[in-house]
């Protein structure tokens, strides 16, 4: 059975039992995994759920979220790459209702939501009209602007606010504008859309937790109450993670939380049996969690006073852990892993998963488990006492691969298809085609944790529609293998070189060890001086020397090669030469005295970083990729002796470059000039 769907030029064939396990696919209407009955075009990998294929979608709609113009139905995102839905803020690549004039988009799930104007919402809390949505089908993943908790159930939505987005739980939208609070009876508290302005260094409870939502406030008493306390506080609380009840202390007081070890000056909770005084947010701390920084489950402990712990240094921030207060530590015998509560539960470190009591620990040898291998051994040989796979079948190649311990490939410039670096022994190769894998790359596990990311990462050799991927850690484009996160709405991916980095680093550019830090806003890299953003991971000095390295600089190779030098060039971190001597021997342009460079002391050769390793060090020579503005694919080449001029800037393409080999074009261009190339 076939149908001709308006969104695709080929007929779609009915598929009775489409299985995600056998062929991963997303429905291009609702963008959810395709399972069961569906329609598809296997040639184009175009799939729709049966119900989505049979939806009667109007070619144009007038939607209340965008009343200015009608929205037009398009079968794919009108932008290069993925678009972002203006309601739920999720990325999409399939069907969309679009306003071309305003670049306004609603993917199909959001366009079909039923909404109505919410009447009588007070202007004192929000200046724009709100829409009441009875069921948003879990499309909205943001937090409530009132209580700062994840959106769920019935919601109120503002279509006028873009950033920050404004959504409210129904309960938060219907809060009373004035209340009498039992612990401050002198005046009523007034509901405000945000906390009152406090001095810059205020240490009150709301400023310490950086509360951004609605508050109940009394300006006469300087008393502020968060919705967290108003909605979710009760005089006595019982939680599963602690065996005794907690009682709310009926007055504000200064204290040190026995769980997280940080100061508090609000109304704490008290355990009369354990004699513990804690923040309300700390009451619900889970007993056992798993983080990618450590291979075992770590457990909350608040009674380390009697334990003999050799190292009381937090393994995340590398500052001292005060064992008089709570911390997370590894209960495994002979494992001395310990971390501050705030470090272990940081959103960049922990994904929020709570481990149950009696959880069977993750194997320390997880990379060797059969389920986690991506190769099948076809033939083995004995070398000494070891059995080594001499022939394998790798999941990412159609033919068997043979192991080579010595000698060269047929092409001395061959590169590994996994890490894209020049081939060195031992390696596996295909006798039928030019496919090479270093032995280490062939043995990479299917899944691995990594300290750069809070979720488990999966090995991948797939790339975007242009033929390459982008490493979010070192900010380089790469081909070959990488590790990606396939959690919903998580686009994290890194290349193999960054996957080899750990949470600590000893780098020759600095005398002290460096430790991985997730939030680096307000700092800059001490090597390239790039200003770091909040989402950038970087390495900082463990001794607090105000020294930082972004991952791109931390992962630079320590040696490189230059065609006119028989020695390896060494990565060098400072130069006291005369200003007239500061130039690059390859491009013959000046070097900045405080920038890293590659240097050969024997031959006195100096090269810029990019001149030595190229603009595309992790793009495999000979591989192709596409762009939106040139009709032919480009090939990655390395010009050593015959260096043609760049089509855009006219300078010679010395080293790595891109080449269009079609006879009608036949030109070469620098990577950095590629964006200026327009047809």
């Amino acid at each position: 059975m076939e149908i001709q769907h308006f969104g695709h030029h080929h007929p779609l064939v009915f598929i009775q039992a489409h299985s995600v396990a056998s062929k991963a696919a997303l429905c291009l209407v609702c963008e959810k995994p395709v399972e069961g009955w569906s329609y598809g075009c296997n040639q184009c990998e175009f799939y729709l759920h049966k119900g989505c294929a049979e939806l009667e979608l109007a070619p144009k709609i007038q939607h209340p979220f965008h009343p200015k113009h009608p929205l037009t139905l398009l079968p794919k995102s009108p932008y290069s790459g993925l678009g972002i839905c203006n309601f739920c803020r999720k990325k999409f690549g399939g069907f969309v209702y679009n306003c071309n004039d305003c670049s306004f988009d609603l993917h199909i799930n959001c366009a079909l939501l039923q909404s109505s104007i919410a009447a009588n919402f007070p202007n004192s809390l929000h200046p724009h009209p709100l829409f009441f949505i009875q069921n948003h089908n879990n499309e909205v993943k943001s937090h409530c602007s009132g209580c700062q908790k994840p959106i769920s159930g019935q919601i109120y939505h503002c279509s006028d606010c873009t950033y920050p987005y404004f959504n409210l739980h129904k309960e938060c939208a219907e809060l009373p504008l004035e209340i009498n609070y039992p612990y401050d009876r002198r005046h009523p508290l007034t509901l405000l859309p945000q906390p009152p302005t406090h001095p810059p260094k205020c240490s009150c409870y709301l400023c310490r937790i950086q509360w951004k939502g609605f508050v109940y406030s009394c300006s006469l008493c300087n008393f502020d109450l968060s919705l967290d306390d108003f909605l979710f506080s009760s005089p006595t609380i019982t939680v599963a993670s602690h065996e005794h009840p907690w009682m709310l202390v009926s007055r504000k007081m200064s204290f040190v939380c026995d769980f997280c070890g940080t100061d508090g000056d609000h109304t704490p909770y008290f355990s009369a049996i354990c004699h513990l005084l804690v923040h309300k947010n700390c009451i619900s701390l889970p007993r056992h969690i798993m983080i990618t920084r450590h291979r075992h489950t770590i457990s909350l402990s608040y009674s380390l006073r009697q334990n003999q712990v050799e190292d009381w240094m937090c393994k995340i921030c590398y500052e001292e852990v005060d064992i008089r207060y709570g911390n997370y530590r590894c209960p495994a015998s002979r494992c001395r892993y310990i971390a501050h509560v705030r470090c272990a539960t940081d959103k960049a470190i922990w994904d929020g998963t709570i481990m149950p009591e009696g959880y069977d620990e993750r194997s320390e040898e997880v990379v060797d488990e059969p389920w986690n291998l991506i190769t099948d051994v076809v033939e083995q040989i004995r070398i000494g006492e070891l059995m080594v796979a001499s022939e394998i079948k790798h999941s990412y190649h159609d033919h068997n691969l043979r192991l080579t311990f010595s000698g060269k490939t047929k092409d001395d410039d061959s590169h590994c298809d996994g890490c894209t670096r020049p081939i060195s022994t031992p390696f596996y190769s295909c006798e039928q085609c030019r496919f090479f894998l270093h032995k280490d790359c062939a043995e990479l596990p299917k899944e691995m944790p990594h300290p750069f990311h809070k979720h488990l990462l999966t090995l991948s050799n797939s790339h975007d529609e242009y033929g390459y991927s982008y490493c979010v850690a070192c900010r380089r484009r790469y081909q070959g293998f990488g590790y990606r996160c396939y959690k919903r709405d998580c686009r994290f991916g890194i290349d193999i070189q960054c996957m080899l980095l750990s949470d600590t680093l000893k780098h020759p550019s600095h005398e002290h060890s460096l430790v991985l830090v997730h939030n680096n806003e307000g700092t800059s890299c001490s090597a390239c001086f790039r200003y770091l953003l909040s989402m950038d991971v970087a390495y900082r000095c463990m001794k607090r020397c105000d020294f930082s390295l972004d991952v791109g600089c931390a992962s630079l190779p320590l040696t490189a090669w230059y065609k006119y030098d028989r020695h390896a060039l060494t990565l060098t971190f400072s130069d006291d030469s005369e200003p007239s001597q500061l130039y690059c021997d390859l491009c013959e342009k000046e070097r900045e005295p405080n920038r890293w460079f590659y240097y050969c002391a024997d031959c006195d050769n100096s090269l810029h970083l990019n001149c030595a390793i190229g603009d595309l060090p992790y793009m495999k020579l000979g591989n192709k990729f596409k762009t939106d503005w040139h009709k032919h694919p480009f090939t990655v080449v390395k010009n050593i002796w015959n260096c043609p001029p760049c089509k855009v800037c006219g300078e010679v393409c010395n080293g790595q470059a891109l080449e269009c080999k079609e006879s009608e074009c036949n030109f070469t261009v620098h990577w950095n000039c590629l964006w200026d190339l327009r047809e």
Side-chain angles (χ1 to χ4, degrees), residues 473-521:
C474 68
R475 302 164 66 90
R476 295 188 181 103
R477 291 157 181 85
Y478 70 92
Q479 294 172 321
F481 295 173
Y483 276 87
R484 294 185 179 180
C485 179
Y486 287 99
K487 292 283 186 182
R488 183 180 176 89
D489 299 327
C490 192
R491 303 280 178 175
F492 185 88
I494 59 175
D495 59 41
I496 295 298
Q497 313 304 327
C498 292
M499 197 69 187
L500 299 177
L501 296 172
S502 67
D503 56 353
T504 58
L505 177 69
K506 191 69 182 76
H507 199 273
S509 64
H510 191 65
E511 59 182 327
H512 302 136
S513 294
L514 307 178
V515 58
L516 182 67
V517 178
H518 280 269
N519 188 348
N520 293 280
E521 189 171 11

Side-chain angles (χ1 to χ4, degrees), residues 421 474 476 497-498 501 505 507-508 525 527-528 549-560 571-573 596-598 609-610 613-614 617-618:
R421 290 194 168 184
C474 68
R476 295 188 181 103
Q497 313 304 327
C498 292
L501 296 172
L505 177 69
H507 199 273
C525 175
C528 65
L549 281 185
D550 66 16
V551 178
C553 293
S555 60
L556 284 169
L558 298 181
T559 58
L571 183 60
T572 308
F573 315 110
W596 292 6
F597 64 104
Y598 283 97
L609 299 180
N610 279 14
I613 67 172
Y618 303 141

Side-chain angles (χ1 to χ4, degrees), residues 381-412:
I381 58 173
R382 181 178 294 278
I383 300 179
E385 297 181 356
L386 296 176
M387 293 298 294
V388 178
S390 60
E391 184 174 350
I392 62 171
K393 176 67 178 70
H394 196 275
S395 297
Y396 293 159
H397 191 65
D398 294 334
H399 309 129
N400 289 358
L401 306 177
R402 300 288 301 182
L403 181 64
T404 301
F405 278 100
S406 61
K408 297 182 178 180
T409 67
K410 295 178 181 178
D411 180 355
D412 291 345

Side-chain angles (χ1 to χ4, degrees), residues 8 274 293 670:
H8 194 63
C274 303
R293 293 291 191 99
H670 293 117

Side-chain angles (χ1 to χ4, degrees), residues 39 57 79 103 130 215 303 305 371 373 405 432 435 463 468 484 501 503 522 541 616 626 632 655 673:
Y39 284 95
L57 299 174
Y79 317 104
S103 296
L130 301 183
V215 295
S303 58
R305 297 171 179 81
W371 63 265
L373 300 180
F405 278 100
Q432 302 180 50
F435 184 88
H463 302 287
Y468 59 84
R484 294 185 179 180
L501 296 172
D503 56 353
C541 177
L616 306 168
K626 299 178 291 185
H632 305 136
C673 294

Side-chain angles (χ1 to χ4, degrees), residues 592-613:
E592 296 183 42
N594 54 353
R595 295 293 178 100
W596 292 6
F597 64 104
Y598 283 97
Y599 181 62
C600 174
D602 294 327
C603 305
D604 195 29
N605 282 323
S606 303
L607 270 71
H608 290 120
L609 299 180
N610 279 14
C611 289
I613 67 172

Side-chain angles (χ1 to χ4, degrees), residues 58-66 69-74 96-100 104-106 111:
K60 283 185 180 291
I61 61 171
Q62 194 73 42
H63 203 280
F65 291 172
H66 190 68
H69 307 113
L71 304 180
T72 303
L73 179 63
L74 302 177
V96 62
Y97 277 103
N98 165 265
C99 174
N100 185 58
F104 182 91
D105 302 286
L106 288 178

Side-chain angles (χ1 to χ4, degrees), residues 581-599:
Q581 302 298 315
L582 294 174
Y583 63 91
C584 172
D585 285 291
L586 182 63
C587 69
E588 300 183 350
K589 294 182 179 179
E590 289 187 6
R591 292 188 292 105
E592 296 183 42
N594 54 353
R595 295 293 178 100
W596 292 6
F597 64 104
Y598 283 97
Y599 181 62

